Amino acid sequence: MAVEACTPNLMEDMEDDEGPVIFKRSNPASKQNQANSEKKKLSLQKHVGQSAVHTSDVRPANGESSSAQKGRIQPSAKTPPVKSPLSSPKASNSSAKASPITSPGANSKPSASATSTAKQQNHHKSSAAFIEPKPSVPAAKANSNSESSDDEKPLSARTFGCSSKGKSNHANKEGGDSCSIRRRVIEESEDSEDEKPLSRRFTSKSSLGESTSKSYDSDEKKPLAAKVQQNGSVSRDGPMNKSASLSNKRPPGEVKSLNQSSVKKPKLSSPITSISNKQAAVKPEPEPKAEDDDDNIPLSQRGKKSQAATSKPKDEDDDNVPIAQRIKKSPASVSKSSAPVKKASTVVSPSLKKVNKNSKKVIKKTAYTKSSKVPPGSGEGQKWTTLVHNGVIFPPPYNPHGVKMLYKRQPITLTPEQEEVATMFAVMLDTDYMNKPRFKENFFSDWKKMLGKNHTIQNLEDCDFGPIYEWHQQEKEKKKQMTTEEKKALKEDKLQQEEKYMWAIVDGVKEKVGNFRVEPPGLFRGRGEHPKMGKLKKRIRPRDITINIGKDAPIPECPIPGERWKEVRNDNTVTWLAFWIDPINQKEFKYVFLAASSTLKGQSDKEKYEKARLLKDYIHGIRAAYTKDFTNNKDPMKKQIAVATYLIDKLALRAGNEKDDDEADTVGCCTLKVENVEPVPPNILKFDFLGKDSIRYQNEVQVEPAVFKAIQQFRSGKEGSEDLFDRLDTSKLNAHLKELMPGLTAKVFRTYNASITLDDMLSKETKGGEVAEKVVVYQHANKEVAIICNHQRTVSKSHSAQMSRLNEKIDELKTAMEELKTDLSRVKKGKPPSKGADGKPKRNLNPEALERKMAQINAKIEKMERDKETKEDLKTVALGTSKINYLDPRITVAWCKRHEVPIEKIFNKSLLAKFAWSMDVDPSFRF
DNA sequence: TGTTGGACTTGCCGTTATTCTA
DNA sequence: TAGAATAACGGCAAGTCCAACA
């Protein structure tokens, strides 16, 4: 089906695609604004809200309903209003301005520390259950891989592989030190220098990349190297220093500047069937390449095969092969893969059946898994047979502090309910939310309802929450001052109270519960420019909560006397233990699930990765198919689907569901607006949009000319705020993807590309050496994945201080070095050493001793320089997210086994528990 | 066929615990 | 041993995606 797509032309284009790739990300630097907290506090005032009393939701528990129920399904109990112990006398109005709060201070938040020292439950059972019916590893197929080799290449291989120069752009926005990581595919790598931002730049490709081929065969059989000498701290220096660039998140205020329109898509929605009947499942690579095929191929050979396939100049390593090039890469492979695709062009299933000569094993392997989306009651969607747990624990009732805030400089007496909400606001005085008018408006609007329309407080501007803020700071300080014993006692006390809620018994197995604590009331902290930020998140009560539990299990006792659960269900087709309606968005729910380490979660995790691995078998055909479609297809919807799939695959974009007006205005692939993608001739696309969590995505990518042309076409005649893909939404896209591979959805590409990138980089870059060096290789690969997925983090508040300290130390060492040099030359001439800074004569050392000292200092300086570089390099890259969500742990475990790296060097306790199912993977496992 | 409800995963951040360094 | 740096943990917001419903 895609044969035609692979025209020589295209191939050429693809080659171009190999240029340096730079990830560009912005730096919102929202935190940076903390520095302004002083100023912020000066202007806490805001507008008057409304009247309309509405307090019942926020009142403290005053149980009035009957005692704990025994029945199965209980209707929610209605609760009469709670009498507030304190009346709210009217405070006198004075015209004076509210006094500003002066003390800055740490961010505060109702802490819910709860250090649950998770007793590790036995995962043996569970992991045993997950043990794959490990297919006997097929004989190495050292041949015929050319066709698939490229397809299986991770994105990074294309994007970062070729000496890409990571560039960092620090664009200061709103006083924040925002910067960006730019990834791009422009030929002239040198130009990166031009783009160098204020701060440093990093060459994104380290020397690591050079060690492409190395056989790990010899290591394969070795046991997990717990015995390997650990080298202490993981050195972050080394090759990884060089990579990428920095970025910061988008400053809140900048959101608007992007003109993200909130215009919602009037979807044209042509029926998906129009695609379906033509596009058939893309057959996986025909060769009987099992998931583990590659495992047995020495890396060196793999390297060779891909090189052969590309027949590129020697120094141009395979990393640099772009998607399209892979598609075209081995003509043979293309035709091979395309044939089945064509063949399959009638129906999905036949091709799939065929496919599953290959994927049979996959299906078999995942046979233990059940579709999670089967109609309840059908029996097939069953998630558990018996489920016992103790429900949830509620935050303690509000304990009034009695500190009076000021209104027009006069102390105001508030009811406990009013005071509670005022306190929620007061403790946020030193956060960035105080710079957001919407936050304050929403807060005041909700609070005003509680105050009542005749209350003295009529506007936020005249409110001075300073006294409450100060009180809160003092409380924090007191807590800090507690002795270790006191803290320990508190902790133990808490643990004791919570212990019973921490566990559930699922099918007879004790499993940890994830979030058994009901969320405390507070002010909603939406991310980005969320329209509902600042709204009151009311206190959740038992009557809001639906419990899910086994039929024969005892109903959890309602922990608040006199109240009862909203409902008790016995639904074994779902995994949640409890839920309540999200008080901020009534259309949504908050669930209580089992912890990540549970069998159920592990199972679905494994299914996720198996699906992504399955994509490896199909990816070649899929790429060929979309290439053909965006090149030749005249049907606008198909063309859009093809381009969207290309972007999702190439850039790891998210699907991009439609959003309501009451959500932050962010986009994903399907919801990109015209203004988010700027075509720059000849074939560069500049992306700039706010993605999930309002994290800015900035990137310049060289794309295939056909894609470039298509984008221009999709844009033509549209306003900036209109949808780029007006014929498309995620359901259509996913429906289409499912025709190409069973169960395929947009997000699978992210998992696939992340995992295969890790696998690829680890295999290419791991050399011998100390454990610490190998760990650095891992971190480097991890970082590349994080960049691909645009996983950012806020620059820590102390980052610049830390950098300055490092610089100071380096300077000191350099000065000492200079002195030693002088002394050495003096000593060599037979003179005494110069006097010290204190004017006293220094000890007379012989030249050898001086040289030794100099060497030591030099080593120190070098280490510090590396630390500095690494710190700067990673200051905006979040490595954890991909590790937790996108990287198949089996890749890591197998690599650790092969290279005798203790797994604890890579996975912390939580991850070890979460990935217990992957621990017995064969060392030869390859994604 | 589009919309919505529902269930789940993904993701960033603040707090707390642990480790490192002087 | 204290304070700083870093890692781990947990909270909760915000995505994805499926299927029932209108």
Side-chain angles (χ1 to χ4, degrees):
Chain A
M1 152 177 209
V3 185
E4 304 77 13
C6 306
T7 62
N9 233 347
L10 200 51
M11 292 160 82
E12 295 293 324
D13 299 332
M14 294 311 195
E15 301 264 305
D16 288 346
D17 211 359
E18 288 323 300
V21 181
I22 297 118
F23 238 77
K24 180 202 252 176
R25 304 192 307 206
S26 82
N27 247 338
S30 58
K31 294 299 148 188
Q32 250 60 11
N33 290 336
Q34 298 282 14
N36 301 331
S37 56
E38 285 295 303
K39 272 183 279 167
K40 291 177 222 159
K41 283 177 233 153
L42 295 177
S43 56
L44 297 174
Q45 291 72 339
K46 244 310 148 203
H47 292 121
V48 182
Q50 307 260 356
S51 40
V53 189
H54 162 53
T55 52
S56 58
D57 281 347
V58 202
R59 288 183 183 136
N62 248 356
E64 93 286 345
S65 53
S66 61
S67 55
Q69 84 287 26
K70 279 286 173 218
R72 275 264 109 75
I73 300 191
Q74 288 82 8
S76 53
K78 30 76 228 312
T79 322
V82 180
K83 60 288 163 180
S84 41
L86 300 181
S87 60
S88 62
K90 314 257 187 260
S92 61
N93 285 354
S94 103
S95 57
K97 281 265 187 292
S99 63
I101 299 123
T102 46
S103 54
N107 233 345
S108 57
K109 154 178 170 181
S111 75
S113 52
T115 354
S116 50
T117 345
K119 288 153 221 160
Q120 191 89 288
Q121 70 262 51
N122 255 346
H123 285 280
H124 301 105
K125 210 174 322 101
S126 43
S127 46
F130 292 133
I131 294 176
E132 291 177 39
K134 190 80 188 159
S136 52
V137 182
K141 44 142 202 176
N143 59 341
S144 77
N145 299 311
S146 53
E147 68 172 11
S148 61
S149 62
D150 276 341
D151 284 319
E152 287 161 20
K153 244 179 212 126
L155 272 177
S156 70
R158 314 165 215 158
T159 49
F160 301 96
C162 55
S163 66
S164 60
K165 315 268 193 255
K167 286 178 250 177
S168 60
N169 270 355
H170 298 237
N172 263 338
K173 304 275 167 82
E174 287 203 352
D177 89 317
S178 72
C179 56
S180 57
I181 288 182
R182 169 171 302 187
R183 185 177 69 169
R184 103 157 112 93
V185 194
I186 300 172
E187 294 282 44
E188 333 78 273
S189 52
E190 293 74 24
D191 75 340
S192 65
E193 289 302 308
D194 304 335
E195 291 198 9
K196 257 178 208 166
L198 333 150
S199 42
R200 45 246 3 79
R201 308 142 197 202
F202 303 100
T203 15
S204 82
K205 208 53 193 177
S206 69
S207 54
L208 277 171
E210 292 308 83
S211 69
T212 50
S213 66
K214 126 206 64 9
S215 165
Y216 57 74
D217 290 352
S218 55
D219 291 338
E220 282 181 358
K221 307 262 170 356
K222 287 185 189 154
L224 182 57
K227 42 217 156 205
V228 171
Q229 188 89 10
Q230 297 183 12
N231 194 0
S233 63
V234 172
S235 135
R236 254 99 137 275
D237 11 323
M240 87 183 267
N241 286 343
K242 299 255 182 68
S243 23
S245 28
L246 332 165
S247 86
N248 226 343
K249 294 180 193 161
R250 184 179 179 72
E254 201 183 329
V255 172
K256 282 305 167 200
S257 74
L258 278 179
N259 287 324
Q260 302 251 1
S261 148
S262 50
V263 176
K264 299 296 169 191
K265 196 185 265 189
K267 286 291 176 192
L268 296 186
S269 71
S270 38
I272 191 66
T273 44
S274 61
I275 343 169
S276 9
N277 46 20
K278 303 259 165 74
Q279 301 253 349
V282 175
K283 203 179 167 204
E285 310 298 292
E287 70 237 290
K289 93 167 226 22
E291 56 190 355
D292 295 318
D293 287 359
D294 258 12
D295 297 353
N296 291 348
I297 307 174
L299 285 181
S300 52
Q301 208 164 344
R302 286 183 212 156
K304 259 188 254 161
K305 85 185 172 192
S306 48
Q307 266 181 6
T310 47
S311 64
K312 283 173 27 176
K314 184 174 172 282
D315 55 347
E316 206 179 324
D317 81 34
D318 233 327
D319 278 2
N320 303 337
V321 183
I323 306 170
Q325 192 175 336
R326 286 182 227 158
I327 291 167
K328 65 123 201 211
K329 204 160 193 184
S330 87
S333 81
V334 169
S335 45
K336 257 199 253 173
S337 76
S338 62
V341 170
K342 274 187 174 164
K343 226 189 289 174
S345 69
T346 43
V347 208
V348 174
S349 38
S351 71
L352 290 181
K353 269 180 205 150
K354 210 165 170 210
V355 158
N356 291 324
K357 189 172 170 198
N358 263 348
S359 50
K360 217 189 300 169
K361 64 168 189 294
V362 178
I363 288 167
K364 206 169 171 193
K365 267 172 52 135
T366 54
Y368 69 89
T369 66
K370 314 145 203 147
S371 157
S372 59
K373 297 290 176 187
V374 182
S378 69
E380 287 186 281
Q382 185 174 329
K383 298 282 177 30
W384 45 266
T385 305
T386 64
L387 173 63
V388 183
H389 62 88
N390 288 309
V392 292
I393 187 167
F394 292 84
Y398 180 65
N399 187 17
H401 47 67
V403 176
K404 290 182 169 47
M405 58 170 290
L406 308 177
Y407 185 72
K408 297 190 173 171
R409 293 199 165 174
Q410 297 302 310
I412 296 286
T413 300
L414 300 171
T415 67
E417 297 78 32
Q418 295 163 351
E419 179 194 286
E420 182 181 19
V421 179
T423 305
M424 291 170 188
F425 187 80
V427 302
M428 291 179 75
L429 288 182
D430 54 7
T431 69
D432 264 350
Y433 287 104
M434 292 301 133
N435 291 331
K436 301 188 173 188
R438 180 167 270 161
F439 183 90
K440 294 193 275 191
E441 281 162 23
N442 285 338
F443 156 73
F444 193 68
S445 163
D446 281 2
W447 191 44
K448 190 76 181 72
K449 287 176 196 160
M450 184 177 276
L451 294 172
K453 74 173 161 204
N454 296 323
H455 198 275
T456 311
I457 296 176
Q458 290 296 327
N459 66 70
L460 191 57
E461 281 139 23
D462 290 324
C463 290
D464 179 1
F465 295 88
I468 301 181
Y469 176 87
E470 293 299 342
W471 165 82
H472 177 252
Q473 293 302 109
Q474 285 164 16
E475 289 299 302
K476 266 186 14 187
E477 192 52 35
K478 272 189 215 164
K479 210 173 150 194
K480 226 162 128 187
Q481 297 306 325
M482 284 186 341
T483 64
T484 316
E485 288 70 36
E486 286 170 323
K487 284 181 188 163
K488 202 175 157 194
L490 264 182
K491 196 175 144 186
E492 273 170 13
D493 195 46
K494 192 176 179 209
L495 191 65
Q496 206 173 0
Q497 284 179 29
E498 295 186 336
E499 171 70 20
K500 69 182 255 198
Y501 301 99
M502 288 168 69
W503 307 96
I505 300 175
V506 185
D507 293 339
V509 179
K510 191 176 177 187
E511 304 271 21
K512 217 175 162 197
V513 179
N515 50 330
F516 52 87
R517 298 178 194 92
V518 170
E519 291 176 21
L523 301 182
F524 175 69
R525 304 181 179 208
R527 296 173 191 157
E529 291 302 304
H530 199 294
K532 292 191 171 179
M533 66 170 86
K535 285 187 72 61
L536 175 62
K537 237 170 43 154
K538 69 165 181 116
R539 184 176 288 270
I540 302 299
R541 322 194 69 84
R543 61 170 177 268
D544 300 315
I545 294 182
T546 298
I547 296 284
N548 191 33
I549 198 156
K551 242 187 175 117
D552 301 319
I555 294 171
E557 193 183 326
C558 178
I560 299 181
E563 297 203 25
R564 57 183 182 176
W565 307 116
K566 177 180 183 180
E567 187 186 336
V568 176
R569 291 190 200 167
N570 317 116
D571 184 353
N572 67 3
T573 66
V574 294
T575 64
W576 53 265
L577 311 184
F579 84 86
W580 61 91
I581 290 176
D582 181 353
I584 292 297
N585 188 347
Q586 301 286 321
K587 286 184 293 186
E588 286 170 12
F589 314 93
K590 298 282 196 176
Y591 292 93
V592 174
F593 289 114
L594 292 172
S597 57
S598 65
T599 307
L600 267 173
K601 291 280 188 191
Q603 188 170 315
S604 71
D605 230 22
K606 186 177 178 188
E607 285 173 31
K608 174 181 76 182
Y609 291 117
E610 280 305 305
K611 194 188 279 180
R613 287 183 82 205
L614 184 59
L615 176 54
K616 197 176 67 167
D617 293 338
Y618 288 82
I619 194 71
H620 179 94
I622 289 172
R623 286 174 177 160
Y626 68 55
T627 302
K628 184 185 172 195
D629 274 351
F630 65 60
T631 308
N632 299 323
N633 209 312
K634 299 282 178 255
D635 180 325
M637 182 164 82
K638 284 182 192 165
K639 201 161 198 164
Q640 292 198 354
I641 286 182
V643 172
T645 311
Y646 170 86
L647 295 179
I648 283 170
D649 181 25
K650 186 175 174 88
L651 302 176
L653 300 187
R654 295 187 185 85
N657 282 322
E658 293 293 315
K659 299 190 78 186
D660 288 343
D661 290 333
D662 59 359
E663 296 174 275
D665 202 3
T666 60
V667 302
C669 184
C670 293
T671 43
L672 281 169
K673 305 283 185 280
V674 167
E675 67 202 2
N676 297 140
V677 187
E678 183 193 341
V680 179
N683 62 339
I684 291 168
L685 294 181
K686 285 171 85 172
F687 291 85
D688 192 348
F689 60 89
L690 295 187
K692 184 178 179 182
D693 294 320
S694 292
I695 299 292
R696 190 175 183 181
Y697 181 93
Q698 271 187 302
N699 198 2
E700 290 181 31
V701 194
Q702 185 172 359
V703 296
E704 294 184 52
V707 170
F708 184 82
K709 214 173 125 192
I711 293 282
Q712 282 181 316
Q713 191 187 328
F714 301 156
R715 284 169 51 98
S716 76
K718 290 182 190 167
E719 297 290 317
S721 61
E722 288 184 65
D723 288 310
L724 181 68
F725 298 115
D726 53 302
R727 310 281 175 124
L728 198 55
D729 63 24
T730 52
S731 54
K732 288 194 189 91
L733 178 67
N734 283 337
H736 168 76
L737 294 176
K738 280 198 175 54
E739 290 171 2
L740 304 179
M741 185 193 107
L744 182 62
T745 61
K747 81 184 182 113
V748 179
F749 284 91
R750 266 168 87 81
T751 312
Y752 164 77
N753 277 310
S755 285
I756 205 155
T757 297
L758 178 76
D759 192 82
D760 189 69
M761 288 188 70
L762 288 182
S763 74
K764 284 191 174 142
E765 298 186 352
T766 312
K767 306 168 189 165
E770 296 296 306
V771 167
E773 291 171 56
K774 294 174 188 166
V775 171
V776 168
V777 169
Y778 189 93
Q779 286 180 329
H780 182 239
N782 192 174
K783 195 193 82 182
E784 296 303 328
V785 172
I787 290 172
I788 288 172
C789 294
N790 202 33
H791 290 149
Q792 301 188 41
R793 62 174 179 160
T794 308
V795 180
S796 89
K797 286 174 204 161
S798 57
H799 178 81
S800 57
Q802 288 171 23
M803 292 301 282
S804 319
R805 247 191 308 270
L806 267 177
N807 280 329
E808 278 167 23
K809 281 180 192 167
I810 290 171
D811 286 346
E812 278 169 24
L813 288 171
K814 282 182 176 168
T815 310
M817 193 70 175
E818 286 309 308
E819 279 181 29
L820 285 171
K821 273 185 196 163
T822 314
D823 290 349
L824 181 63
S825 91
R826 288 176 67 94
V827 168
K828 278 183 177 169
K829 288 175 192 162
K831 296 179 186 171
S834 56
K835 289 185 178 175
D838 51 4
K840 290 180 186 169
K842 287 189 216 155
R843 207 162 63 126
N844 209 348
L845 295 172
N846 62 37
E848 290 73 33
L850 283 171
E851 277 164 359
R852 269 201 306 277
K853 237 180 158 177
M854 284 168 69
Q856 279 173 358
I857 289 182
N858 213 23
K860 265 190 179 175
I861 291 175
E862 279 174 13
K863 181 178 180 303
M864 282 187 168
E865 294 280 10
R866 285 196 303 266
D867 287 351
K868 207 177 89 178
E869 208 175 332
T870 306
K871 194 187 279 290
E872 190 64 36
D873 194 17
L874 291 178
K875 75 174 180 185
T876 59
V877 183
L879 300 183
T881 307
S882 50
K883 220 192 246 185
I884 294 170
N885 299 299
Y886 288 108
L887 302 176
D888 187 335
R890 291 170 297 184
I891 299 169
T892 304
V893 174
W895 176 81
C896 281
K897 288 180 180 178
R898 289 200 297 271
H899 297 285
E900 302 192 329
V901 175
I903 188 68
E904 297 78 14
K905 290 277 174 199
I906 310 290
F907 289 161
N908 61 33
K909 205 178 72 183
S910 304
L911 289 178
L912 286 173
K914 176 177 161 78
F915 297 138
W917 58 268
S918 69
M919 293 301 154
D920 52 3
V921 70
D922 193 275
S924 63
F925 176 91
R926 294 296 303 274
F927 186 77

